[in-house]
Amino acid sequence: MANEEDDPVIQEIDVYLAKSLAEKLYLFQYPVRPASMTYDDIPHLSAKIKPKQQKVELEMAIDTLNPNYCRSKGEQIALNVDGACADETSTYSSKLMDKQTFCSSQTTSNTSRYAAALYRQGELHLTPLHGILQLRPSFSYLDKADAKHREREAANEAGDSSQDEAEDDVKQITVRFSRPESEQARQRRVQSYEFLQKKHAEEAWVHLHYYGLKDSRSEHERQYLLCPGSSGVENTELVKSPSEYLLMLMPPSQEEEKDKPVAPSNVLSMAQLRTLPLADQIKILMKNVKVMPFANLMSLLGPSIDSVAVLRGIQKVAMLVQGNWVVKSDILYPKDSSSPHSGVPAEVLCRGRDFVMWKFTQSRWVVRKEVATVTKLCAEDVKDFLEHMAVVRINKGWEFILPYDGEFIKKHPDVVQRQHMLWTGIQAKLEKVYNLVKETMPKKPDAQSGPAGLVSGDQRIQVAKTKAQQNHALLERELQRRKEQLRAPAVPPGVRIKEEPVSEEGEDDDDEEEQPMDTSPSGGLHSRLANGLPPGRAAGTDSFNGHPPPGCASTPVARELRAFVEATFQRQFVLTLSELKRLFNLHLASLPPGHTLFSGISDRMLQDTVLAAGCKQILVPFPPQTAASPDEQKVFALWESGDMSDQHRQVLLEIFSKNYRVRRNMIQSRLTQECGEDLSKQEVDKVLKDCCVSYGGMWYLKGTVQS
């Protein structure tokens, strides 16, 4: 007791378990280096992995300009490995040992006790490690040098033999046929060391892309180390009630479990369901029901359950469609499963079902033929998808099974915004996989609307007549209002207004162009119309969800957006609009619910803020056959950051405003010509690292290379 009083608890830290990278996170242990040098500073030339063996090979560059590097030794090693004649298969194309290979080995087979921890804002987030690999230098180039030496010796011995030697005598050859292999012999052969080594060698290498510590993709993946939605929400996986903790300490005996009546595997009573953790309850309910409003889910879970915890759990197993929750595809089709109808793997089924769910976010109606045409799946699989979430209507198509839940949409705008971001990512993936034409994300669905392709001809004629009558009445009122303004005495002196007779109903519409022009300074056409729109609509073109245009820097939204843009471009000097929007969505995901930025930012507002923050748009001349989207072709760069490399970056950006890709020697010569000094290799490397990427021996602005 005295020791406990001397050592009081000074702080309690909440611990969260993040599982987004639980099956993908590896720990690489590199050889010891000086503290001043990190492996992120060393250029990674290539990386490859054998997934089944968990074997990794990294190829890193060696700094040949370092004073500790022995150049003569490097040249000798390259000569021994590749010989005097260098070709495409040479290990060291520069005739100098300028790179080193690291090969991995497993340190332990049981990694269940290890995890990666990230401490942020008073919270500790843990992610289990899938593997721990030690990287050690590989000396396979020495084996290659020995093989070259043996080949040269064999060639010399063959050359010393007489060329005039007579042909060998014909020898008798005995042909033997192998006996059929028994099952025991086959098992011994499969378990032998030679067979395992051969299987390991046959596994193909998968080439990887290496991203540095400060790269945007590294920052994106690092967000997965955080438990989603941890702020203000109880972590039900780490926090247990006293009764649940007691069951973990003293689980029921096997005899008691045998006494319970055996129920079918697909049947679970509500009493049994409520003994499970909340996350499992939500998953089981959604997996059985498929589609459910949030209010119904809360009624099934009971009144004592916190709605915030349920919201956090439902987002792990379901997606929001028209205000209702639809179970995720990977819950219904787990990994390594297949279709019972066609045998299609689960990955293809999940992609097809996601397409159906995405279509229902845009409309209440879906046509089965369209789904089958796009997904290339059999009719039975498509029918299963639709029966999960829709009902068929004769001569109309498939309608979403539940009505639009506007109450949930209004009550939880932060959840709706987060789900909108997830659907944006799914839409981009579907467009790439199915080669879809880009469409706008779904607006608020209309409960009465149906598919446009199913409207009859009589209905179309009736709708057209109604619209024509409405437009005619509007034009009549607008004409009468203009005539009254023209006749008003507020016309400035010296201005003569020409009166024209009002056209009758049988005259051409072209007569409307000869209406007298309003010349009053305050009531002119320009003051009433902006870009051809009425005042209410014209104002909406410069705002989004009620926000003023970005020029109004005094608003909290404009200030927050300006701060994000400036901080982003200080880290990354060149960004495409597509990449900037992706980073902005990640920034929104990290903000607390109810933040001002959740109210909505338009693309125009984002671009205007970028230009107002001191950035410039670089008009990169993309090739005509480019596959880049319009957002990927809009490139913005920070023009002045306040450091010594501003002038060098500006010259580089001017080069790329006239060239899509450039060689390094051209960049070097142009920088030397414009800056009037001979730049060092380190200065050129810094400018290229800030703004460009290398691919196939050419340099491109970041985000513009199309592999």
Side-chain angles (χ1 to χ4, degrees), residues 1 103 119 134 223 261 291 329 390 408 478 496 575 610 689:
M1 294 293 293
C103 190
Y119 182 79
Q134 281 188 349
Q223 294 295 326
V291 184
S329 302
F408 179 85
E478 179 67 16
R496 182 183 178 188
L575 284 172
V610 170
K689 184 179 179 181

Side-chain angles (χ1 to χ4, degrees), residues 261-504:
V262 179
S265 59
N266 60 342
V267 176
L268 188 66
S269 67
M270 293 301 296
Q272 291 176 326
L273 182 68
R274 287 173 180 170
T275 61
L276 301 175
L278 179 61
D280 292 340
Q281 294 184 43
I282 297 173
K283 182 177 180 180
I284 291 173
L285 286 173
M286 292 305 303
K287 188 174 181 180
N288 284 274
V289 182
K290 308 292 190 305
V291 184
M292 190 186 305
F294 186 73
N296 291 12
L297 179 63
M298 290 298 301
S299 64
L300 290 174
L301 294 175
S304 61
I305 303 299
D306 184 16
S307 62
V308 178
V310 177
L311 272 177
R312 177 176 170 270
I314 191 66
Q315 294 182 68
K316 295 181 179 179
V317 298
M319 296 291 293
L320 191 65
V321 179
Q322 300 190 21
N324 302 282
W325 292 98
V326 181
V327 65
K328 289 184 176 179
S329 302
D330 54 0
I331 302 296
L332 297 179
Y333 303 107
K335 191 177 180 181
D336 298 330
S337 63
S338 59
S339 167
H341 306 294
S342 59
V344 172
E347 181 182 0
V348 181
L349 293 175
C350 291
R351 196 160 54 227
R353 188 174 181 274
D354 287 345
F355 175 74
V356 175
M357 294 169 62
W358 174 69
K359 291 293 290 183
F360 276 120
T361 62
Q362 294 187 315
S363 172
R364 288 196 57 82
W365 299 88
V366 167
V367 181
R368 187 173 70 171
K369 289 184 179 180
E370 179 187 356
V371 176
T373 303
V374 173
T375 60
K376 303 295 190 297
L377 293 173
C378 68
E380 290 79 6
D381 289 333
V382 176
K383 186 178 180 182
D384 284 350
F385 299 158
L386 294 171
E387 287 178 343
H388 291 166
M389 61 192 85
V391 292
V392 64
R393 305 295 185 191
I394 299 175
N395 296 331
K396 289 186 176 181
W398 290 79
E399 184 184 12
F400 193 69
I401 194 170
L402 294 177
Y404 178 78
D405 192 352
E407 182 180 354
F408 179 85
I409 299 294
K410 294 178 182 178
K411 191 175 180 180
H412 303 282
D414 52 338
V415 176
V416 175
Q417 178 70 15
R418 192 175 296 112
Q419 289 291 309
H420 173 78
M421 292 161 51
L422 293 175
W423 276 121
T424 303
I426 294 175
Q427 179 190 9
K429 182 189 289 186
L430 293 174
E431 288 172 352
K432 187 175 294 184
V433 172
Y434 293 133
N435 296 323
L436 302 177
V437 178
K438 287 199 172 184
E439 301 177 35
T440 57
M441 280 306 294
K443 298 181 180 179
K444 188 174 180 179
D446 185 2
Q448 305 298 329
S449 63
L454 299 175
V455 179
S456 64
D458 294 339
Q459 291 175 334
R460 291 183 180 179
I461 294 174
Q462 187 64 31
V463 170
K465 287 181 179 180
T466 305
K467 289 185 177 179
Q469 293 175 358
Q470 294 174 353
N471 292 338
H472 179 73
L474 290 174
L475 290 174
E476 286 289 342
R477 288 196 296 269
E478 179 67 16
L479 178 61
Q480 188 66 24
R481 186 178 64 84
R482 290 188 181 184
K483 288 179 62 178
E484 291 175 356
Q485 290 180 351
L486 290 171
R487 292 169 181 167
V491 179
V495 177
R496 182 183 178 188
I497 300 177
K498 182 181 179 181
E499 293 282 351
E500 294 289 345
V502 180
S503 61
E504 298 297 329

Side-chain angles (χ1 to χ4, degrees), residues 155-168:
N156 293 335
E157 291 176 1
D160 294 337
S161 62
S162 175
Q163 299 296 328
D164 299 329
E165 185 173 324
E167 294 183 359
D168 295 338

Side-chain angles (χ1 to χ4, degrees), residues 209-224:
H209 294 283
Y210 177 83
Y211 297 99
L213 181 64
K214 299 180 181 179
D215 193 273
S216 61
R217 297 206 178 257
S218 298
E219 294 179 358
H220 171 65
E221 293 294 329
R222 202 175 297 121
Q223 294 295 326
Y224 290 113

